[in-house]
Amino acid sequence: MEHEQKPTTTLQLVLAWGFVGIPLLLGVSQTLLNALQLFQ
Amino acid sequence: MATQAENWFSRSRTVARPGYSRWMVPPAALCVHLCIGQAYAYSVFNLPMTKLIGITESAPGDWKLTELGWIFSIAIFFLGVASAVFGRWVEEGGPRKAMFTAACCWAGGFLISAVGVATHSLWLIYLGYGVLGGIALGIGYISPVSTLIKWFPDRPGMATGMAIMGFGGGAFIASPLSVWLMRQFTTETHIGVMETFVVLGVVYFIFMIVGSIIVRVPPDDWKPEGYVAPKANKLISSNNVYVYDALKTPQFWLIWVVLCVNTTAGIGVLGQASAMSQEMFPGHITPVAAAGLVGLMSLFNMGGRFAWATTSDYLGRRNTYFVFMTLGFILYCLVPLTGAAGSVAGFAICFCIIISMYGGGFSTVPAYLRDMFGTRYVGAIHGLLLTAWSAAGIFGPVLVNYIREYNVTHNVAKADAYNTTMYIMAGLFVLGFVCNFFVKAVNERYHMRVDGAVASPAAA
């Protein structure tokens, strides 16, 4: 068993989600900008 | 030391202590899926790899696009093989061991491919990205699925949808990152593919290792606070079916056909959307606009993975697939009409919805399997079901490309050359609807006994 007694903190959740969410959002926004060319 | 390392990887070391938030598990899963989703963006390397010797244009001795095309095909083939072969090992060994293995194979695949580029040996790239990378794709794709389902018994569709959305979204990160890296490493006498492979291998390894560190499995008797098990329902089983017994049930093969149909319909147009839109709307859709359409479809592919799987928690899995089959049939029948009417907006809407259902089919199916076969071996059964993806990878492009080719050589106008394919796709959805209709509860003779024994011991 893992020796971790403390509950998950909000900071840990923010870091974990930020770690995957920020690159994903950057990629999605870039793709969205490219997709807008369909309507120009 | 070896024992300690083995302990750290073992399933028992990943059991969560009280206070661990289950919301840490989706990012752990995304760490893996966002990385292996790079596979969808592999094509950005194709053109630069045809000019490694000639630099500005292909020279004698440079690789041809047809030779490079095999890299992706081999990887997808080994995705299906690995998920089917290693499914039981992934399930029983736990997610940390599987994620770590996937990280080693994925990074190793890039590094071997980098050596292949440096020595100009295409076979090394087939072995690296194709075989080793393909194994990473298979193991990495299925590894977090059953873990998420166990953490989110109240919302299994949403949970697996989040992870599988990452696989669709991985290309959004990989594509601009790869292009930027190649630009940094390219000089007047050298194309920076090799260095880009090395950097990507290292970055992806770190990312995936973070996922394997933070992932946890719930204790056996764990339930979310306030969770009330769904009422007795024929289509949501509380029993488990052993992985190889699932293969003997008609339900497995019916769902296999349903997934294959849904994937065939999506994969065929996903690969040809650019050319198809330009040929169906000559003068209206330029190459730049077509690239925009492909980007838009990719966004719907990713968004559909989360949205449809989450919706299935409320609609039910079987009903969600009924929606896919019915809506798919209607939309494919409408596509030729949008072409005839010259409606670019109608065409784009039809394909964006179809592609959202293509993604939704992938993300909803783990929860469908969980409903049918229980949670114990859902990851392994999911691995076996992914062979439907490999089959669709052949059927989809063949249906679109060869029928178009046949029509064009028989003097059908290019704008109308895809109509037959659209109606065939619509017909496939009818087949999928019928198969989905016949999905009933699994016969209890396939259920594992309470003591964990399999229904047919010979199969173990």
Side-chain angles (χ1 to χ4, degrees), chain A residues 1-9 12-13 16-17 19-21 23-24 26-32 34-40, chain B residues 12-13 15 17 19-21 23-24 26-27 30-31 34 96 162 165 169 172-173 207 210 214 216 288-289 292-293 295-296 299 302:
Chain A
M1 298 281 277
E2 291 286 303
H3 298 288
E4 49 175 84
Q5 301 294 339
K6 293 175 186 171
T8 308
T9 63
Q12 285 174 314
L13 281 170
W17 279 97
F19 189 64
V20 292
L24 182 60
L26 286 173
V28 168
S29 59
Q30 187 69 44
T31 309
L32 205 54
N34 292 338
L36 288 176
Q37 293 175 85
L38 178 65
F39 305 102
Q40 287 172 357
Chain B
S12 61
R13 283 291 297 270
V15 176
R17 287 275 181 157
Y20 177 82
S21 170
W23 291 99
M24 289 292 281
L30 281 167
C31 280
L34 283 173
R96 181 176 286 166
M162 271 189 280
M165 173 189 77
F172 297 143
I173 301 169
F207 229 79
V210 170
I214 62 176
R216 296 287 185 280
V288 173
L293 175 65
L296 197 62
L299 285 170
M302 188 189 80

Short mmCIF file of all heavy atoms in Angstrom, two decimals, chain A residues 1-9 12-13 16-17 19-21 23-24 26-32 34-40, chain B residues 12-13 15 17 19-21 23-24 26-27 30-31 34 96 162 165 169 172-173 207 210 214 216 288-289 292-293 295-296 299 302:
data_model
loop_
_atom_site.label_atom_id
_atom_site.label_comp_id
_atom_site.label_asym_id
_atom_site.label_seq_id
_atom_site.Cartn_x
_atom_site.Cartn_y
_atom_site.Cartn_z
N MET A 1 0.85 -1.21 0.00
CA MET A 1 0.00 0.00 0.00
C MET A 1 0.88 1.25 0.00
O MET A 1 1.95 1.27 0.58
CB MET A 1 -0.90 0.02 1.23
CG MET A 1 -1.88 -1.15 1.32
SD MET A 1 -3.32 -0.95 0.26
CE MET A 1 -4.34 0.07 1.31
N GLU A 2 0.41 2.32 -0.60
CA GLU A 2 1.15 3.57 -0.60
C GLU A 2 1.16 4.18 0.81
O GLU A 2 0.16 4.10 1.53
CB GLU A 2 0.50 4.57 -1.57
CG GLU A 2 0.64 4.18 -3.03
CD GLU A 2 2.05 4.39 -3.52
OE1 GLU A 2 2.56 5.51 -3.44
OE2 GLU A 2 2.65 3.42 -3.99
N HIS A 3 2.29 4.81 1.17
CA HIS A 3 2.35 5.44 2.49
C HIS A 3 1.94 6.90 2.38
O HIS A 3 2.73 7.80 2.55
CB HIS A 3 3.76 5.30 3.07
CG HIS A 3 4.13 3.86 3.25
ND1 HIS A 3 3.57 3.10 4.24
CD2 HIS A 3 4.96 3.05 2.55
CE1 HIS A 3 4.07 1.85 4.15
NE2 HIS A 3 4.90 1.82 3.14
N GLU A 4 0.72 7.15 2.02
CA GLU A 4 0.25 8.52 1.91
C GLU A 4 -0.99 8.66 2.79
O GLU A 4 -2.02 8.05 2.57
CB GLU A 4 -0.07 8.87 0.46
CG GLU A 4 -0.94 7.84 -0.23
CD GLU A 4 -1.35 8.25 -1.62
OE1 GLU A 4 -0.57 8.02 -2.53
OE2 GLU A 4 -2.45 8.81 -1.78
N GLN A 5 -0.84 9.48 3.80
CA GLN A 5 -1.91 9.62 4.78
C GLN A 5 -2.77 10.86 4.49
O GLN A 5 -3.91 10.91 4.85
CB GLN A 5 -1.32 9.71 6.20
CG GLN A 5 -0.48 8.50 6.60
CD GLN A 5 -1.29 7.23 6.74
OE1 GLN A 5 -2.50 7.26 6.90
NE2 GLN A 5 -0.63 6.08 6.65
N LYS A 6 -2.15 11.86 3.82
CA LYS A 6 -2.86 13.12 3.65
C LYS A 6 -3.87 13.00 2.50
O LYS A 6 -3.58 12.37 1.48
CB LYS A 6 -1.86 14.23 3.34
CG LYS A 6 -0.94 14.55 4.51
CD LYS A 6 0.10 15.58 4.09
CE LYS A 6 1.10 15.80 5.20
NZ LYS A 6 2.23 16.62 4.75
N PRO A 7 -5.02 13.67 2.64
CA PRO A 7 -5.97 13.67 1.53
C PRO A 7 -5.46 14.52 0.38
O PRO A 7 -4.59 15.37 0.56
CB PRO A 7 -7.23 14.27 2.15
CG PRO A 7 -6.77 15.04 3.33
CD PRO A 7 -5.52 14.38 3.82
N THR A 8 -6.01 14.28 -0.80
CA THR A 8 -5.62 15.08 -1.98
C THR A 8 -6.00 16.54 -1.74
O THR A 8 -7.12 16.84 -1.32
CB THR A 8 -6.37 14.56 -3.22
OG1 THR A 8 -6.16 13.15 -3.31
CG2 THR A 8 -5.87 15.23 -4.48
N THR A 9 -5.07 17.44 -2.00
CA THR A 9 -5.35 18.87 -1.80
C THR A 9 -5.86 19.49 -3.10
O THR A 9 -5.66 18.94 -4.19
CB THR A 9 -4.09 19.63 -1.37
OG1 THR A 9 -3.13 19.52 -2.44
CG2 THR A 9 -3.50 19.05 -0.10
N GLN A 12 -3.03 20.08 -5.52
CA GLN A 12 -2.64 18.89 -6.30
C GLN A 12 -3.59 18.69 -7.49
O GLN A 12 -3.16 18.37 -8.59
CB GLN A 12 -2.66 17.65 -5.41
CG GLN A 12 -1.47 17.57 -4.46
CD GLN A 12 -1.60 16.41 -3.50
OE1 GLN A 12 -2.66 16.18 -2.91
NE2 GLN A 12 -0.52 15.67 -3.33
N LEU A 13 -4.88 18.91 -7.24
CA LEU A 13 -5.86 18.76 -8.32
C LEU A 13 -5.63 19.80 -9.41
O LEU A 13 -5.66 19.48 -10.61
CB LEU A 13 -7.28 18.89 -7.77
CG LEU A 13 -7.84 17.66 -7.06
CD1 LEU A 13 -9.15 17.99 -6.36
CD2 LEU A 13 -8.07 16.52 -8.05
N ALA A 16 -2.49 18.88 -11.36
CA ALA A 16 -2.69 17.71 -12.23
C ALA A 16 -3.52 18.08 -13.46
O ALA A 16 -3.17 17.73 -14.60
CB ALA A 16 -3.38 16.59 -11.45
N TRP A 17 -4.60 18.82 -13.23
CA TRP A 17 -5.45 19.21 -14.37
C TRP A 17 -4.77 20.24 -15.26
O TRP A 17 -4.94 20.23 -16.48
CB TRP A 17 -6.81 19.73 -13.86
CG TRP A 17 -7.74 18.60 -13.52
CD1 TRP A 17 -7.97 18.07 -12.29
CD2 TRP A 17 -8.53 17.83 -14.44
NE1 TRP A 17 -8.86 17.02 -12.38
CE2 TRP A 17 -9.22 16.86 -13.68
CE3 TRP A 17 -8.73 17.86 -15.82
CZ2 TRP A 17 -10.08 15.92 -14.26
CZ3 TRP A 17 -9.61 16.93 -16.40
CH2 TRP A 17 -10.26 15.98 -15.62
N PHE A 19 -1.59 20.45 -15.76
CA PHE A 19 -0.52 19.74 -16.49
C PHE A 19 -1.02 19.18 -17.82
O PHE A 19 -0.31 19.22 -18.83
CB PHE A 19 -0.01 18.59 -15.59
CG PHE A 19 1.22 17.90 -16.08
CD1 PHE A 19 2.42 18.59 -16.20
CD2 PHE A 19 1.19 16.56 -16.43
CE1 PHE A 19 3.57 17.94 -16.66
CE2 PHE A 19 2.33 15.91 -16.88
CZ PHE A 19 3.52 16.61 -17.00
N VAL A 20 -2.25 18.68 -17.82
CA VAL A 20 -2.80 18.13 -19.07
C VAL A 20 -3.70 19.14 -19.79
O VAL A 20 -3.80 19.13 -21.02
CB VAL A 20 -3.59 16.82 -18.83
CG1 VAL A 20 -2.67 15.70 -18.41
CG2 VAL A 20 -4.69 17.00 -17.79
N GLY A 21 -4.35 20.01 -19.00
CA GLY A 21 -5.34 20.91 -19.59
C GLY A 21 -4.73 22.05 -20.38
O GLY A 21 -5.25 22.41 -21.45
N PRO A 23 -1.74 22.37 -22.12
CA PRO A 23 -1.32 22.03 -23.49
C PRO A 23 -2.50 21.70 -24.40
O PRO A 23 -2.52 22.09 -25.57
CB PRO A 23 -0.44 20.78 -23.30
CG PRO A 23 -0.13 20.69 -21.87
CD PRO A 23 -1.16 21.47 -21.13
N LEU A 24 -3.50 21.03 -23.83
CA LEU A 24 -4.66 20.67 -24.65
C LEU A 24 -5.41 21.92 -25.11
O LEU A 24 -5.77 22.05 -26.29
CB LEU A 24 -5.60 19.75 -23.85
CG LEU A 24 -6.84 19.24 -24.59
CD1 LEU A 24 -6.44 18.44 -25.83
CD2 LEU A 24 -7.70 18.38 -23.69
N LEU A 26 -4.22 24.94 -25.47
CA LEU A 26 -3.39 25.65 -26.47
C LEU A 26 -3.56 25.00 -27.84
O LEU A 26 -3.73 25.69 -28.85
CB LEU A 26 -1.91 25.62 -26.06
CG LEU A 26 -1.52 26.54 -24.90
CD1 LEU A 26 -0.06 26.29 -24.49
CD2 LEU A 26 -1.69 28.00 -25.31
N GLY A 27 -3.51 23.68 -27.88
CA GLY A 27 -3.66 22.96 -29.14
C GLY A 27 -5.03 23.15 -29.76
O GLY A 27 -5.16 23.37 -30.97
N VAL A 28 -6.07 23.11 -28.91
CA VAL A 28 -7.44 23.27 -29.41
C VAL A 28 -7.63 24.68 -29.96
O VAL A 28 -8.22 24.86 -31.04
CB VAL A 28 -8.46 22.98 -28.29
CG1 VAL A 28 -9.86 23.43 -28.68
CG2 VAL A 28 -8.48 21.49 -27.97
N SER A 29 -7.12 25.70 -29.25
CA SER A 29 -7.30 27.08 -29.72
C SER A 29 -6.60 27.29 -31.06
O SER A 29 -7.12 27.95 -31.96
CB SER A 29 -6.82 28.08 -28.68
OG SER A 29 -5.45 27.85 -28.41
N GLN A 30 -5.42 26.69 -31.20
CA GLN A 30 -4.67 26.80 -32.46
C GLN A 30 -5.47 26.17 -33.60
O GLN A 30 -5.59 26.73 -34.70
CB GLN A 30 -3.33 26.07 -32.29
CG GLN A 30 -2.37 26.23 -33.45
CD GLN A 30 -1.84 27.65 -33.55
OE1 GLN A 30 -1.49 28.26 -32.56
NE2 GLN A 30 -1.85 28.19 -34.76
N THR A 31 -6.05 24.99 -33.33
CA THR A 31 -6.83 24.29 -34.36
C THR A 31 -8.09 25.08 -34.70
O THR A 31 -8.48 25.16 -35.87
CB THR A 31 -7.22 22.88 -33.85
OG1 THR A 31 -6.05 22.24 -33.39
CG2 THR A 31 -7.87 22.06 -34.95
N LEU A 32 -8.71 25.68 -33.68
CA LEU A 32 -9.91 26.47 -33.91
C LEU A 32 -9.62 27.66 -34.82
O LEU A 32 -10.39 27.97 -35.73
CB LEU A 32 -10.45 26.95 -32.56
CG LEU A 32 -11.94 27.28 -32.46
CD1 LEU A 32 -12.80 26.12 -32.92
CD2 LEU A 32 -12.31 27.66 -31.04
N ASN A 34 -7.30 27.80 -37.07
CA ASN A 34 -7.12 27.28 -38.43
C ASN A 34 -8.47 26.94 -39.07
O ASN A 34 -8.69 27.14 -40.26
CB ASN A 34 -6.23 26.04 -38.42
CG ASN A 34 -4.81 26.38 -38.03
OD1 ASN A 34 -4.38 27.51 -38.16
ND2 ASN A 34 -4.07 25.38 -37.55
N ALA A 35 -9.38 26.39 -38.23
CA ALA A 35 -10.68 25.97 -38.75
C ALA A 35 -11.51 27.17 -39.21
O ALA A 35 -12.36 27.03 -40.10
CB ALA A 35 -11.44 25.19 -37.67
N LEU A 36 -11.27 28.34 -38.63
CA LEU A 36 -12.03 29.53 -39.01
C LEU A 36 -11.84 29.90 -40.48
O LEU A 36 -12.67 30.60 -41.06
CB LEU A 36 -11.65 30.72 -38.11
CG LEU A 36 -12.15 30.63 -36.66
CD1 LEU A 36 -11.64 31.79 -35.83
CD2 LEU A 36 -13.68 30.58 -36.62
N GLN A 37 -10.75 29.39 -41.06
CA GLN A 37 -10.49 29.70 -42.48
C GLN A 37 -11.58 29.14 -43.39
O GLN A 37 -11.77 29.62 -44.50
CB GLN A 37 -9.14 29.13 -42.88
CG GLN A 37 -7.99 29.83 -42.17
CD GLN A 37 -6.66 29.17 -42.50
OE1 GLN A 37 -6.06 29.49 -43.50
NE2 GLN A 37 -6.22 28.25 -41.65
N LEU A 38 -12.32 28.14 -42.88
CA LEU A 38 -13.42 27.58 -43.67
C LEU A 38 -14.49 28.63 -43.93
O LEU A 38 -15.18 28.59 -44.95
CB LEU A 38 -14.02 26.38 -42.91
CG LEU A 38 -15.22 25.68 -43.54
CD1 LEU A 38 -14.83 25.00 -44.85
CD2 LEU A 38 -15.80 24.65 -42.60
N PHE A 39 -14.63 29.55 -43.00
CA PHE A 39 -15.71 30.52 -43.10
C PHE A 39 -15.26 31.86 -43.68
O PHE A 39 -15.99 32.83 -43.68
CB PHE A 39 -16.34 30.73 -41.71
CG PHE A 39 -16.80 29.45 -41.08
CD1 PHE A 39 -16.04 28.84 -40.09
CD2 PHE A 39 -17.94 28.81 -41.51
CE1 PHE A 39 -16.45 27.64 -39.52
CE2 PHE A 39 -18.36 27.62 -40.96
CZ PHE A 39 -17.61 27.03 -39.97
N GLN A 40 -13.98 31.95 -44.13
CA GLN A 40 -13.49 33.22 -44.68
C GLN A 40 -13.56 33.24 -46.19
O GLN A 40 -13.46 32.23 -46.82
CB GLN A 40 -12.05 33.46 -44.21
CG GLN A 40 -12.00 33.85 -42.73
CD GLN A 40 -10.58 33.90 -42.18
OE1 GLN A 40 -9.64 33.60 -42.89
NE2 GLN A 40 -10.45 34.25 -40.92
N SER B 12 -1.12 -3.75 -5.98
CA SER B 12 -1.41 -3.49 -4.56
C SER B 12 -0.82 -2.16 -4.09
O SER B 12 -1.35 -1.51 -3.20
CB SER B 12 -0.89 -4.64 -3.71
OG SER B 12 0.51 -4.74 -3.87
N ARG B 13 0.30 -1.74 -4.70
CA ARG B 13 0.93 -0.47 -4.31
C ARG B 13 0.17 0.74 -4.86
O ARG B 13 0.45 1.88 -4.50
CB ARG B 13 2.37 -0.41 -4.80
CG ARG B 13 3.35 -1.22 -3.97
CD ARG B 13 3.57 -0.60 -2.58
NE ARG B 13 4.15 0.72 -2.64
CZ ARG B 13 5.46 0.98 -2.64
NH1 ARG B 13 6.33 -0.02 -2.59
NH2 ARG B 13 5.90 2.21 -2.68
N VAL B 15 -3.22 0.94 -4.70
CA VAL B 15 -4.54 1.07 -4.07
C VAL B 15 -4.59 2.38 -3.28
O VAL B 15 -3.69 2.67 -2.48
CB VAL B 15 -4.83 -0.13 -3.14
CG1 VAL B 15 -6.16 0.08 -2.41
CG2 VAL B 15 -4.87 -1.42 -3.95
N ARG B 17 -5.39 5.34 -0.67
CA ARG B 17 -5.70 5.49 0.75
C ARG B 17 -6.94 6.37 0.89
O ARG B 17 -7.26 7.12 -0.03
CB ARG B 17 -4.52 6.16 1.46
CG ARG B 17 -3.33 5.27 1.62
CD ARG B 17 -3.49 4.44 2.85
NE ARG B 17 -2.35 3.58 3.08
CZ ARG B 17 -2.06 3.10 4.28
NH1 ARG B 17 -2.79 3.41 5.32
NH2 ARG B 17 -1.03 2.29 4.42
N GLY B 19 -9.14 9.45 1.41
CA GLY B 19 -8.83 10.87 1.20
C GLY B 19 -8.30 11.15 -0.20
O GLY B 19 -8.25 12.31 -0.62
N TYR B 20 -7.94 10.10 -0.92
CA TYR B 20 -7.47 10.31 -2.30
C TYR B 20 -8.66 10.72 -3.16
O TYR B 20 -9.72 10.06 -3.13
CB TYR B 20 -6.84 9.02 -2.83
CG TYR B 20 -6.37 9.10 -4.26
CD1 TYR B 20 -5.15 9.65 -4.60
CD2 TYR B 20 -7.17 8.60 -5.29
CE1 TYR B 20 -4.73 9.72 -5.91
CE2 TYR B 20 -6.76 8.65 -6.61
CZ TYR B 20 -5.54 9.21 -6.92
OH TYR B 20 -5.13 9.27 -8.22
N SER B 21 -8.51 11.79 -3.93
CA SER B 21 -9.62 12.25 -4.77
C SER B 21 -9.62 11.50 -6.09
O SER B 21 -8.60 11.42 -6.79
CB SER B 21 -9.49 13.75 -5.05
OG SER B 21 -10.43 14.13 -6.04
N TRP B 23 -10.78 12.49 -8.68
CA TRP B 23 -10.58 13.43 -9.79
C TRP B 23 -9.11 13.56 -10.19
O TRP B 23 -8.78 14.30 -11.12
CB TRP B 23 -11.19 14.79 -9.45
CG TRP B 23 -12.68 14.68 -9.43
CD1 TRP B 23 -13.48 14.53 -8.33
CD2 TRP B 23 -13.55 14.61 -10.57
NE1 TRP B 23 -14.79 14.40 -8.71
CE2 TRP B 23 -14.87 14.45 -10.08
CE3 TRP B 23 -13.36 14.68 -11.95
CZ2 TRP B 23 -15.97 14.34 -10.92
CZ3 TRP B 23 -14.45 14.59 -12.79
CH2 TRP B 23 -15.74 14.42 -12.27
N MET B 24 -8.22 12.86 -9.48
CA MET B 24 -6.81 12.80 -9.90
C MET B 24 -6.63 11.75 -11.01
O MET B 24 -5.62 11.75 -11.71
CB MET B 24 -5.92 12.41 -8.72
CG MET B 24 -5.75 13.48 -7.66
SD MET B 24 -4.80 14.89 -8.24
CE MET B 24 -3.13 14.27 -8.11
N PRO B 26 -8.62 11.03 -13.88
CA PRO B 26 -8.71 11.48 -15.28
C PRO B 26 -7.45 12.18 -15.79
O PRO B 26 -7.00 11.88 -16.91
CB PRO B 26 -9.94 12.40 -15.28
CG PRO B 26 -10.78 11.91 -14.16
CD PRO B 26 -9.80 11.47 -13.10
N PRO B 27 -6.81 13.10 -15.02
CA PRO B 27 -5.56 13.67 -15.54
C PRO B 27 -4.47 12.62 -15.73
O PRO B 27 -3.67 12.71 -16.67
CB PRO B 27 -5.14 14.69 -14.50
CG PRO B 27 -6.24 14.84 -13.54
CD PRO B 27 -7.25 13.78 -13.78
N LEU B 30 -5.24 11.08 -18.92
CA LEU B 30 -4.97 12.02 -20.02
C LEU B 30 -3.47 12.14 -20.29
O LEU B 30 -3.07 12.38 -21.43
CB LEU B 30 -5.57 13.39 -19.69
CG LEU B 30 -7.08 13.51 -19.93
CD1 LEU B 30 -7.63 14.78 -19.28
CD2 LEU B 30 -7.39 13.52 -21.42
N CYS B 31 -2.65 11.99 -19.24
CA CYS B 31 -1.20 12.04 -19.44
C CYS B 31 -0.78 11.01 -20.49
O CYS B 31 0.13 11.22 -21.29
CB CYS B 31 -0.46 11.74 -18.14
SG CYS B 31 -0.37 13.15 -17.03
N LEU B 34 -3.11 11.74 -24.16
CA LEU B 34 -2.68 12.91 -24.94
C LEU B 34 -1.37 12.63 -25.67
O LEU B 34 -1.13 13.15 -26.76
CB LEU B 34 -2.50 14.13 -24.02
CG LEU B 34 -3.77 14.84 -23.56
CD1 LEU B 34 -3.44 15.89 -22.52
CD2 LEU B 34 -4.50 15.47 -24.74
N ARG B 96 -0.54 1.14 -13.25
CA ARG B 96 0.79 1.76 -13.18
C ARG B 96 1.80 1.00 -14.02
O ARG B 96 2.56 1.59 -14.78
CB ARG B 96 1.27 1.84 -11.73
CG ARG B 96 2.63 2.49 -11.60
CD ARG B 96 3.05 2.65 -10.17
NE ARG B 96 2.31 3.72 -9.49
CZ ARG B 96 2.30 3.88 -8.17
NH1 ARG B 96 2.93 3.04 -7.40
NH2 ARG B 96 1.63 4.88 -7.63
N MET B 162 -13.60 11.17 -20.97
CA MET B 162 -12.53 12.14 -20.72
C MET B 162 -11.18 11.62 -21.22
O MET B 162 -10.41 12.34 -21.84
CB MET B 162 -12.44 12.46 -19.22
CG MET B 162 -13.33 13.58 -18.80
SD MET B 162 -13.01 14.10 -17.10
CE MET B 162 -13.89 12.87 -16.18
N MET B 165 -11.18 11.11 -25.03
CA MET B 165 -11.13 12.44 -25.65
C MET B 165 -9.66 12.87 -25.81
O MET B 165 -9.29 13.50 -26.80
CB MET B 165 -11.87 13.44 -24.76
CG MET B 165 -11.75 14.88 -25.19
SD MET B 165 -12.41 16.01 -23.95
CE MET B 165 -11.11 16.02 -22.74
N GLY B 169 -7.50 14.38 -28.84
CA GLY B 169 -6.91 15.72 -28.71
C GLY B 169 -5.39 15.74 -28.79
O GLY B 169 -4.80 16.80 -28.94
N PHE B 172 -3.77 17.65 -31.58
CA PHE B 172 -3.80 19.11 -31.54
C PHE B 172 -2.53 19.68 -30.91
O PHE B 172 -2.11 20.78 -31.21
CB PHE B 172 -5.01 19.61 -30.74
CG PHE B 172 -6.32 19.24 -31.35
CD1 PHE B 172 -7.40 18.90 -30.56
CD2 PHE B 172 -6.48 19.21 -32.72
CE1 PHE B 172 -8.61 18.56 -31.12
CE2 PHE B 172 -7.68 18.86 -33.29
CZ PHE B 172 -8.75 18.53 -32.48
N ILE B 173 -1.97 18.90 -29.97
CA ILE B 173 -0.72 19.34 -29.35
C ILE B 173 0.47 18.91 -30.22
O ILE B 173 1.38 19.68 -30.48
CB ILE B 173 -0.56 18.70 -27.94
CG1 ILE B 173 -1.74 19.10 -27.06
CG2 ILE B 173 0.76 19.10 -27.30
CD1 ILE B 173 -1.82 18.33 -25.75
N PHE B 207 5.90 12.92 -19.51
CA PHE B 207 4.46 13.12 -19.37
C PHE B 207 3.76 11.83 -18.93
O PHE B 207 2.94 11.82 -18.01
CB PHE B 207 3.91 13.55 -20.74
CG PHE B 207 3.02 14.76 -20.66
CD1 PHE B 207 3.55 16.04 -20.56
CD2 PHE B 207 1.64 14.62 -20.69
CE1 PHE B 207 2.74 17.14 -20.49
CE2 PHE B 207 0.82 15.71 -20.63
CZ PHE B 207 1.36 16.98 -20.53
N VAL B 210 4.52 10.74 -15.33
CA VAL B 210 3.72 11.49 -14.34
C VAL B 210 2.36 10.80 -14.17
O VAL B 210 1.86 10.61 -13.05
CB VAL B 210 3.55 12.97 -14.77
CG1 VAL B 210 2.52 13.68 -13.91
CG2 VAL B 210 4.88 13.69 -14.71
N ILE B 214 0.78 9.22 -10.55
CA ILE B 214 -0.39 9.71 -9.80
C ILE B 214 -1.61 8.78 -9.90
O ILE B 214 -2.57 8.97 -9.16
CB ILE B 214 -0.79 11.15 -10.24
CG1 ILE B 214 -1.21 11.20 -11.72
CG2 ILE B 214 0.31 12.13 -9.94
CD1 ILE B 214 -1.70 12.60 -12.14
N ARG B 216 -4.14 5.77 -9.30
CA ARG B 216 -4.47 4.87 -8.19
C ARG B 216 -5.68 4.03 -8.59
O ARG B 216 -6.50 4.47 -9.40
CB ARG B 216 -4.83 5.66 -6.93
CG ARG B 216 -3.72 6.49 -6.33
CD ARG B 216 -2.68 5.63 -5.64
NE ARG B 216 -1.68 6.46 -4.99
CZ ARG B 216 -0.66 7.06 -5.59
NH1 ARG B 216 -0.50 6.91 -6.89
NH2 ARG B 216 0.21 7.79 -4.91
N VAL B 288 -7.31 25.72 -48.70
CA VAL B 288 -7.16 26.30 -47.36
C VAL B 288 -8.44 26.09 -46.54
O VAL B 288 -8.40 25.70 -45.36
CB VAL B 288 -6.84 27.82 -47.46
CG1 VAL B 288 -6.85 28.47 -46.09
CG2 VAL B 288 -5.50 28.02 -48.15
N ALA B 289 -9.59 26.31 -47.19
CA ALA B 289 -10.86 26.12 -46.50
C ALA B 289 -11.05 24.64 -46.16
O ALA B 289 -11.59 24.30 -45.10
CB ALA B 289 -12.01 26.60 -47.38
N GLY B 292 -9.34 23.85 -43.13
CA GLY B 292 -10.14 24.35 -42.01
C GLY B 292 -11.24 23.39 -41.65
O GLY B 292 -11.52 23.14 -40.47
N LEU B 293 -11.86 22.80 -42.68
CA LEU B 293 -12.92 21.81 -42.43
C LEU B 293 -12.36 20.59 -41.70
O LEU B 293 -12.99 20.08 -40.75
CB LEU B 293 -13.55 21.37 -43.77
CG LEU B 293 -14.58 20.25 -43.67
CD1 LEU B 293 -15.83 20.69 -42.88
CD2 LEU B 293 -15.00 19.75 -45.05
N GLY B 295 -9.82 20.53 -39.71
CA GLY B 295 -9.57 20.94 -38.33
C GLY B 295 -10.86 20.96 -37.52
O GLY B 295 -10.91 20.49 -36.38
N LEU B 296 -11.92 21.49 -38.16
CA LEU B 296 -13.22 21.55 -37.49
C LEU B 296 -13.72 20.13 -37.17
O LEU B 296 -14.23 19.87 -36.07
CB LEU B 296 -14.22 22.26 -38.40
CG LEU B 296 -15.50 22.79 -37.77
CD1 LEU B 296 -15.19 23.85 -36.73
CD2 LEU B 296 -16.42 23.37 -38.84
N LEU B 299 -12.00 18.70 -34.21
CA LEU B 299 -12.53 19.22 -32.95
C LEU B 299 -13.82 18.49 -32.57
O LEU B 299 -14.04 18.16 -31.40
CB LEU B 299 -12.80 20.73 -33.07
CG LEU B 299 -11.56 21.62 -33.04
CD1 LEU B 299 -11.93 23.06 -33.40
CD2 LEU B 299 -10.91 21.60 -31.66
N MET B 302 -12.98 15.09 -31.22
CA MET B 302 -12.56 15.12 -29.82
C MET B 302 -13.74 15.44 -28.89
O MET B 302 -13.97 14.74 -27.91
CB MET B 302 -11.46 16.17 -29.64
CG MET B 302 -10.85 16.13 -28.27
SD MET B 302 -9.75 17.52 -27.95
CE MET B 302 -10.90 18.79 -27.55
#
